[in-house]
Amino acid sequence: MIALKGQIKQVQHLSGKLCKPTGGKSDHYTVKPLHFAVKTHAFSMPIKYYNLPDTVNGETTETINGTKSFDNPSALTGKVINGIMLYSLPDGTCDVIEIADGVVSVEKKCGYAVIDGDTPITAIIKSGDSRVASGFFAIGYTKTTFNDLIEPQATNVYCNRLSVSKQKTLTAVTETAIYINSSQALYIVLPTGTCDEDSESVVEWLNNHKIEIIYPIAELSTTSNLDNEEEILCLM
């Protein structure tokens, strides 16, 4: 839980008390600039809500010309309300702003991340390793890589360049895809020959092919039953 100043508090969401401006008739609600801290960054943000409905749902729009590939990524955009980015997921799960009894609440259910050469790599599992399918290698990231934890074995994910694998084990992924295991580790699975399978080449490839994902945020109470294979892959 993050301690916040003023009239905003956070329990999986932000909320702030609205009041009508004095003088004259108006159905516009405003909140004075509020000061609060998010992680290590302190800042103030004026929040103004003009004629919004009681509930505003996030929405992700994916646009692309042609077929999605390494070199032909889609564009992922969300809905911005007063500087707050709201996303949705392929199954309709979405971030939500609610206004009830003058209180504004923001509930985030969707995480967003960009994976590039600066993203810390946990492991490179090379072609020929028994832990990947024949003809593929994998770039691995632990669950703590991203600001918000990914739901275990998530397939309800948007990705701008790759498909999202529905396989239950990394060894079964025989496509160019994003794969997320039961311990919330994420793998980028690429065909052998995409680049040299060393850190320098992988970093260069990722800098030229930045990968964006929008994913379901794991519940804080989520626990995973790890089998030996998944645990080893996560900790490499």
Side-chain angles (χ1 to χ4, degrees):
M1 182 178 291
I2 302 176
L4 305 175
K5 296 181 181 179
Q7 298 182 31
I8 282 188
K9 58 184 179 180
Q10 179 173 344
V11 181
Q12 299 298 321
H13 63 266
L14 301 178
S15 61
K17 186 69 176 177
L18 294 179
C19 58
K20 283 190 176 183
T22 58
K25 296 181 179 180
S26 174
D27 57 0
H28 295 176
Y29 292 85
T30 64
V31 172
K32 293 180 180 180
L34 300 169
H35 298 268
F36 54 93
V38 176
K39 297 189 183 301
T40 59
H41 303 286
F43 60 92
S44 64
M45 182 188 344
I47 305 175
K48 299 180 181 179
Y49 294 87
Y50 296 122
N51 299 324
L52 286 181
D54 292 340
T55 301
V56 180
N57 292 326
E59 182 178 352
T60 297
T61 301
E62 182 173 24
T63 56
I64 188 171
N65 292 321
T67 302
K68 184 186 297 186
S69 68
F70 293 156
D71 299 310
N72 187 39
S74 63
L76 300 175
T77 55
K79 179 188 291 184
V80 181
I81 301 293
N82 300 311
I84 300 172
M85 183 67 75
L86 304 175
Y87 292 109
S88 65
L89 298 172
D91 72 346
T93 299
C94 60
D95 300 326
V96 179
I97 289 179
E98 290 186 340
I99 303 174
D101 298 326
V103 174
V104 178
S105 298
V106 181
E107 184 176 10
K108 297 291 289 180
K109 297 181 180 179
C110 308
Y112 171 82
V114 175
I115 303 171
D116 59 19
D118 292 328
T119 308
I121 297 170
T122 304
I124 298 174
I125 304 176
K126 296 184 177 182
S127 302
D129 192 301
S130 61
R131 293 167 297 176
V132 290
S134 177
F136 293 87
F137 73 102
I139 308 164
Y141 303 89
T142 63
K143 66 180 182 180
T144 57
T145 301
F146 309 103
N147 290 335
D148 297 298
L149 294 182
I150 302 175
E151 186 177 280
Q153 213 79 59
T155 59
N156 186 28
V157 177
Y158 280 111
C159 179
N160 68 328
R161 292 183 189 270
L162 308 177
S163 62
V164 180
S165 178
K166 299 184 185 302
Q167 298 294 336
K168 297 299 183 182
T169 62
L170 182 59
T171 53
V173 183
T174 56
E175 59 181 322
T176 304
I178 295 292
Y179 165 75
I180 299 161
N181 72 10
S182 61
S183 56
Q184 300 162 280
L186 180 146
Y187 294 87
I188 299 171
V189 181
L190 301 173
T192 302
T194 300
C195 65
D196 292 339
E197 298 170 19
D198 57 64
S199 297
E200 184 177 352
S201 297
V202 167
V203 165
E204 182 180 0
W205 187 88
L206 286 169
N207 280 333
N208 291 322
H209 301 84
K210 293 183 180 181
I211 294 173
E212 295 179 70
I213 55 172
I214 300 170
Y215 59 88
I217 297 174
E219 297 289 340
L220 293 179
S221 59
T222 295
T223 57
S224 301
N225 294 320
L226 306 182
D227 57 34
N228 290 336
E229 178 189 17
E230 298 284 23
E231 187 172 14
I232 290 170
L233 291 177
C234 179
L235 297 177
M236 281 190 60

